[in-house]
Structures are given as structure tokens and as C-alpha cells.
């Protein structure tokens, strides 16, 4: 919820935002009225991917940033399950 | 979320404890485990199903050497723990019906991106000193989770070209092991720098920001978040913001 309050405040200040939520908290963007969120199928404490999996982490970041192109509320799931892979 | 209960010193395991006491011990108790603290609120029958599935997967892993089933079981039960018993959406304490949203002011490839996370990162030598305590440990932060949840959070500034060896993380509300071993799990400053170099984004704000998300939600909403938003609007480095909660 913390990031939800911050995301709303930044949008209210006129700045476009996007957030990355894990599936366990994937209900929050809808309930809090967040502008854009990417939902990852990751365990708690690993929002962008496994430690050492830079490829996955970058893909998640890039997918999240792409949501900024949307002018309306957009909440989508990152369509890959969690795996442990190293660079 | 159920982090708003008071926390006492963890009691020793009671040999006569009930199933409920067992479940609760994972929530800042004698068996505190931030990856599984949600067990506190699972019905006993679901707790049994969780153990059953987990042990089955552990047994399978002994022979296969592949932990995928164990990870998947933990993941699915975390989802069940946090979303399986939400109840009426109208009762959600921080529900909003409106959606504040702004369109991109220019193509993403020309935008300056600011990173803001609730991972609790800070740079060595710039300790936010919760409750005036310097060098508070992760264990101490977990023990004082109840105090954190009453206070407004403070925002740490992190130069995006910081030596990763200088990064610290402390957060009493979630498992920090993964971000401790690889900060980019929750603070992707290197990936964003690469995306800027590759022209996907225009530039990266040379300062990233992080705070401890386990904090007073009322103070955050009413006071702190609007102040941070004004700061970003006025810093001249921000066209868009990427937020990463933990």
C-alpha cells in the first residue's frame, strides 16, 4: 500500500508513473486506483526476478516502462513464471 | 495487510502450543519468517493443506534435485495468504475510486526516468537512523516493526552510480535476502542505466530514492507522499517515475 500512496501523489502532481507489484499484492493497484502497474509472478521480496537473473530483471523493467505509453489505467501481468536463472 | 499489531519479545516455543499459536509464531514470533508470516491468518485447514503440499514437494525435490515445485508451492500459498481472504473490497482500508493519471509528455526515448522504491535501501554513511538508532540491524528492524508502522517514513537518496558495495538495505516488513545478494532484484539502477544507454529511455535521474514501506500509511498518504511528489516535480530531473514496492 505504501507505494500506492506515493504513486497516486506523484500522478496528482502531474507526473506519469508505473509500478511493479508481485502477484501476492496484485489486488492493490485496482483497489487503490493506481495508473499503471505490471504484476509479476514472483515470490515475496523478488519483485523483478531472482538474484543474479539480470536478463529477467531487465525484461520486467522494460515491460513496466512500456506501460507508460498507455493514457488510461493499465494493470497487466508479466507473462512469465518465476525461474532461477543466472546470467 | 496485518502488520499493525503490537510485537512483543518472541516467546520460546511452547510444547503444548495450539495450531493457532504455531501459525502465529511465524509472524514476528519464535519462528519469525517474513516469507511465511502470512500463515498467521490462514485458517487451520488451509495451513494443513499448505504443509501437506510443501512436504510433498520437498520429498520430490530430494530425488529430482529440482526445487521448482517447492518455489511454486511457496509462491501460490503467499498469494493465497495475501489475497485469499480479502473480503469485501469496500472494506479495504485504502480504497480509491478515482485514478489519477497523466499521459507521457513526450516519447519514452526522450523521458528522464526517476526510480523510487520501498525496499529500504540507503548508502553506507547515509543511514536514515530510524528512532535515532545508527546501524540498526535487520533483526532489530523486524523486532521493532510495530514502531515502524506508527512513524512517517524518510526518503533516502541514492546516487545511481553508487558502488554497489556501499548499498545497504534494512526493512522489517519483507524478506531482504534476495535484494541483499543482488540489489537489482528491487533497485534496478544498473538496468535503467543500460536502458538509457540503449536509448529505450531518454535518461536516468542521477538520484534514485528509497524508503521503508513498513510505515504509518496515514502519515505517508497525508503528509509525506505529497511532499515527495513536489520534490520530484521541482527537481528538474523527472519526466516519469518507476516505482518498485517490496
Amino acid at each position: 500500500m505504501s507505494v500506492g500512496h506515493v504513486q497516486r501523489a506523484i500522478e496528482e502532481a502531474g507526473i506519469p508513473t508505473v509500478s511493479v507489484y508481485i502477484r501476492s499484492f496484485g489486488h492493490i493497484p485496482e483497489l487503490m486506483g493506481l495508473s499503471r502497474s505490471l504484476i509479476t509472478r514472483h515470490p515475496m521480496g523478488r519483485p523483478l526476478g531472482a538474484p543474479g537473473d539480470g536478463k529477467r530483471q531487465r525484461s520486467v523493467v522494460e515491460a513496466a516502462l512500456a506501460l507508460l505509453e498507455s493514457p488510461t489505467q493499465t494493470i497487466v501481468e508479466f507473462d512469465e513464471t518465476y525461474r532461477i536463472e543466472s546470467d | 495487510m496485518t502488520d499493525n499489531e503490537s510485537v512483543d519479545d518472541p516467546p520460546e516455543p511452547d510444547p503444548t502450543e495450539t495450531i493457532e499459536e504455531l501459525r502465529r509464531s511465524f509472524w514476528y514470533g519464535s519462528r519469525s519468517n517474513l516469507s511465511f508470516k502470512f500463515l498467521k491468518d490462514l485458517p487451520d485447514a488451509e495451513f494443513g493443506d499448505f504443509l501437506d503440499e510443501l512436504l510433498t514437494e520437498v520429498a520430490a525435490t530430494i530425488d529430482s534435485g529440482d526445487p521448482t515445485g517447492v518455489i511454486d508451492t511457496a509462491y501460490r500459498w503467499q498469494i493465497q495468504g495475501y489475497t485469499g481472504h480479502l473480503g469485501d473490497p469496500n472494506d479495504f482500508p485504502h480504497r480509491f475510486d478515482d485514478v489519477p493519471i497523466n499521459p507521457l509528455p513526450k516519447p519514452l526515448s526522450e523521458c528522464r526516468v526517476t526510480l523510487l522504491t520501498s525496499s529500504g535501501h540507503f548508502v553506507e554513511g547515509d543511514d536514515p537512523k530510524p528512532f535515532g538508532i545508527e546501524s540498526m540491524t535487520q533483526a532489530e528492524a523486524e523486532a521493532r516493526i510495530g514502531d515502524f508502522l506508527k512513524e512517517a517514513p524518510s526518503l533516502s537518496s541514492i546516487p545511481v552510480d553508487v558502488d554497489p558495495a556501499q548499498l545497504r538495505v534494512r526493512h522489517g516488513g519483507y524478506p531482504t535476502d534476495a535484494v541483499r545478494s543482488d540489489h537489482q532484484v528491487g533497485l534496478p539502477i544498473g538496468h535503467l542505466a543500460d536502458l538509457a544507454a540503449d536509448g529505450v529511455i531518454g535518461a536516468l535521474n542521477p538520484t534514485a530514492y528509497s524508503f521503508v514501506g513498513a510505515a504509518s500509511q496515514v502519515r505517508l498518504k497525508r503528509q509525506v507522499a505529497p511532499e515527495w511528489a513536489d520534490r520530484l516535480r521541482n527537481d528538474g530531473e523527472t519526466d516519469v517515475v518507476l516505482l518498485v514496492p517490496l
Side-chain angles (χ1 to χ4, degrees), chain B residues 48-115:
Chain B
D49 290 343
F50 163 71
L51 285 179
D52 183 24
E53 289 179 32
L54 186 65
L55 295 177
T56 299
E57 292 297 342
V58 168
T61 300
I62 291 171
D63 293 326
S64 70
D66 177 3
T68 303
V70 173
I71 296 168
D72 184 58
T73 300
Y75 166 72
R76 284 187 294 101
W77 280 96
Q78 285 176 348
I79 294 171
Q80 175 64 12
Y82 287 101
T83 70
H85 303 277
L86 285 175
D88 187 340
N90 292 310
D91 295 333
F92 188 74
H94 299 280
R95 186 176 180 209
F96 298 89
D97 292 324
D98 64 321
V99 180
I101 185 167
N102 299 280
L104 272 188
K106 50 192 171 185
L108 184 60
S109 60
E110 297 174 19
C111 284
R112 294 163 298 179
V113 177
T114 295
L115 174 65

